[in-house]
Amino acid sequence: MVSIPSNQGFFEARLARRNAVSGNALATGAMLLWAAGFPAAEILLDVWHPIALMTLRLAMAMAVLVPLWVFADGLQSVVSARWGRGIWIGVLGFGTGTNLLLFAQWYTDPVTVALIATTTPISATIIEVWNRQRRLSGRFLAGLTVSVAGGVIAIGANLSIDLGWGVLMAVAAGFCFTWASYAAIRDFPEMSPIGRSTITFSGAAVITGVLFLGCWTIGVIDAPQITSANQIGLLAIYAVAAMALSQILFIASVGKIGIALTSFHLNIAPFYLMVILVALGGIWDWRAAFGASIVGLGVLISQSRQTTTKIER
């Protein structure tokens, strides 16, 4: 019997390279949009209570995501989706994570929260290894170490051991986000990134809305009032760009390269944030720039020989 040479290995390698390029590009776009939300949130937190702000943010994000999902995948896909499972993931992951992150910023400042988020790749790696989606290699561990080191360099004097609850909230928020992003890919393999983002963010909207109504009913917080076009613009940046669109790109990246490698890009977010703050009149920070370059090196090292079990492509 004559065997016919197979080109399967060649095509698999080519597909892996294509996924790596597109996945990293999607993650870069997601982090740019995500970083843009921190300055907007800092201003809005002076106007509204964190719970009220998060309620408005999720309401606006869902008002954009649902029509996008219907337009992209059709009404039948939206109606027949497993909403119960999506809401559950959203409540435990994105709902808890978004509120913890905002409270962390309330306790500290936007730069500190973005910098603390550089520990998220460790949580993401633990999740992938626990679920047998990644076989750790020396190259990947080296890339992870370099990536975290880049985050530490960027942190420098900006991180204080006196930050207390703000630090713990930010770390916990990172774990919640990575778990929910992984679960969205695992549990909804048939959905598009828009569908996965929308159905899981619905859970975040539910828990945040319930929390707001409870606090408002007992008089802990007041109902938010929008009094200017500037507030609407900032809320649009925070809700549409930094949440809805950023999450679509992030979930799409996870589908290409996995949650651990996608989360590496979170460590470059402080640099993006610093660039945005410079554009708004801030001061250039060479330490953040150098840290970002170290993180970029870690991304390259970790993907030089990929050892990930694909969960969806």
Side-chain angles (χ1 to χ4, degrees), residues 158-185:
N158 288 313
L159 182 61
S160 169
I161 60 174
D162 298 326
L163 294 178
W165 285 107
V167 172
L168 294 177
M169 288 178 182
V171 172
F175 186 87
C176 290
F177 274 119
T178 53
W179 174 82
S181 298
Y182 170 82
I185 300 294

Side-chain angles (χ1 to χ4, degrees), residues 88-218:
W88 179 246
I89 293 173
V91 167
L92 293 180
F94 296 128
T96 303
T98 51
N99 284 285
L100 283 175
L101 191 66
L102 190 59
F103 272 103
Q105 182 170 343
W106 195 33
Y107 273 100
T108 57
D109 59 77
V111 175
T112 298
V113 171
L115 293 172
I116 295 172
T118 58
T119 63
T120 302
I122 298 176
S123 300
T125 299
I126 292 172
I127 290 171
E128 280 196 343
V129 172
W130 179 265
N131 290 280
R132 298 182 180 180
Q133 296 297 330
R134 177 167 298 281
R135 296 183 298 274
L136 292 180
S137 67
R139 286 179 179 271
F140 179 83
L141 290 175
L144 176 62
T145 302
V146 170
S147 176
V148 174
V152 172
I153 292 172
I155 288 171
N158 288 313
L159 182 61
S160 169
I161 60 174
D162 298 326
L163 294 178
W165 285 107
V167 172
L168 294 177
M169 288 178 182
V171 172
F175 186 87
C176 290
F177 274 119
T178 53
W179 174 82
S181 298
Y182 170 82
I185 300 294
R186 179 197 63 194
D187 293 355
F188 301 101
E190 76 285 356
M191 284 189 182
S192 66
I194 296 176
R196 290 165 175 164
S197 300
T198 307
I199 198 170
T200 50
F201 267 5
S202 65
V206 168
I207 188 175
T208 303
V210 170
L211 182 61
F212 168 77
L213 287 175
C215 292
W216 176 71
T217 300
I218 64 177

Side-chain angles (χ1 to χ4, degrees), residues 9-24 257 303 306:
F10 169 78
F11 288 114
E12 286 183 350
R14 186 175 180 180
L15 178 61
R17 286 194 296 269
R18 187 183 306 156
N19 282 336
V21 172
S22 60
N24 284 287
I257 59 177
Q303 296 181 75
Q306 193 159 324

Side-chain angles (χ1 to χ4, degrees), residues 27 33 36-37 40 62 78 84 125 176 183 194 213 233 261 264 280 287 305-306 313:
L33 292 174
M62 291 300 294
V78 177
T125 299
C176 290
I194 296 176
L213 287 175
L261 292 175
F264 276 30
L280 296 175
R287 182 183 58 237
R305 287 183 183 177
Q306 193 159 324
R313 291 295 179 265

